[in-house]
Structure formats: structure tokens, C-alpha cells
Amino acid sequence: MKRTISTDDAPAAVGAYSQATTNGSLLFTAGQLPLTTDGDLLDDESVATQTEQSLDNVMAILAEEGADASDLLKVTIFLDDIEDFDEMNETYATYFDDEPPARSAVEVGNVPKGAALEIEAIADVE
């Protein structure tokens, strides 16, 4: 049975979507922009800072379900410029130990609100 997940430790959903959903086994986050919990978009910050904020949002959603980075199975990163891959990757790597999740990183035409990236994730919460 599907259940929605919401936490005040990540930015509120600003449309017809949930921060995340789960069926009790898998958790799917919505794409997380570099938004603070106060709704401040960090689009003028470096790609490293935007990566950190987006991943912090993912981690806050996981924590709401008692999960953490070690429970992530798959992460997808949407970059508005693939040339930012190395800067994103350097920050991304600090969130994971010896067994990081599977990951895709792709360049897209645009990211919502003019951000440099958006990150979504799938985790095992069973």
C-alpha cells in the first residue's frame, strides 16, 4: 500500500507531488532541488553547494523513515551542464562509504527554477 512521506527537515513540495512515497519496502524521493527548508533556492551558489543541499534534502527524507545513505539503491542526478559533473561528483562522493548506490548522471535541457541540478533517489526501507 502506497504511503506518502513528508518532513519539515526538507523543503515542502511546491506542486502536485509528495516529497517521497513508499510501499513499505522501497522509498522513492521526488527530485530534490538545492532548496533550503526555508524555501531559499541556492541557484547562485556553486555546483558543489547545490549538490550538498540537494543531497541533504534526500538524506532528511530518508531519515524521516529511519533510513540513511547506506539504504540507497539508486540515485539519479539531472545536471543542466554535464561539464559540472566533476564538481558534483567530488561533493557527492563525500556522502557515501565503500558501497555507494548505483547512479546515473545525465545532462538535461533545463532544471526547474534555474538550478544547476536536481537529485532523486530510491532506497530500501524494509
Side-chain angles (χ1 to χ4, degrees):
M1 176 178 290
K2 181 177 94 170
R3 180 171 53 82
T4 60
I5 298 164
S6 180
T7 177
D8 292 337
D9 294 329
V14 292
Y17 66 92
S18 301
Q19 287 175 325
T21 58
T22 185
N23 66 359
S25 297
L26 295 174
L27 177 148
F28 298 83
T29 72
Q32 296 300 304
L33 293 170
L35 280 166
T36 68
T37 55
D38 294 330
D40 295 327
L41 181 65
L42 304 182
D43 59 325
D44 290 335
E45 297 293 332
S46 68
V47 169
T49 298
Q50 291 189 50
T51 301
E52 182 177 359
Q53 183 63 57
S54 296
L55 283 171
D56 286 351
N57 295 342
V58 168
M59 298 307 162
I61 293 166
L62 293 176
E64 184 68 19
E65 285 296 298
D68 61 29
S70 68
D71 297 303
L72 286 170
L73 299 172
K74 175 74 165 69
V75 174
T76 304
I77 302 173
F78 304 97
L79 295 158
D80 76 344
D81 185 349
I82 201 67
E83 295 297 319
D84 292 332
F85 178 87
D86 289 339
E87 185 177 351
M88 172 280 298
N89 194 52
E90 186 174 317
T91 300
Y92 177 92
T94 66
Y95 283 75
F96 303 100
D97 56 17
D98 296 334
E99 296 182 2
R103 182 186 75 192
S104 299
V106 297
E107 180 180 83
V108 295
N110 290 296
V111 174
K113 299 188 175 283
L117 55 85
E118 182 175 23
I119 300 176
E120 66 180 23
I122 301 169
D124 179 0
V125 293
E126 190 169 41

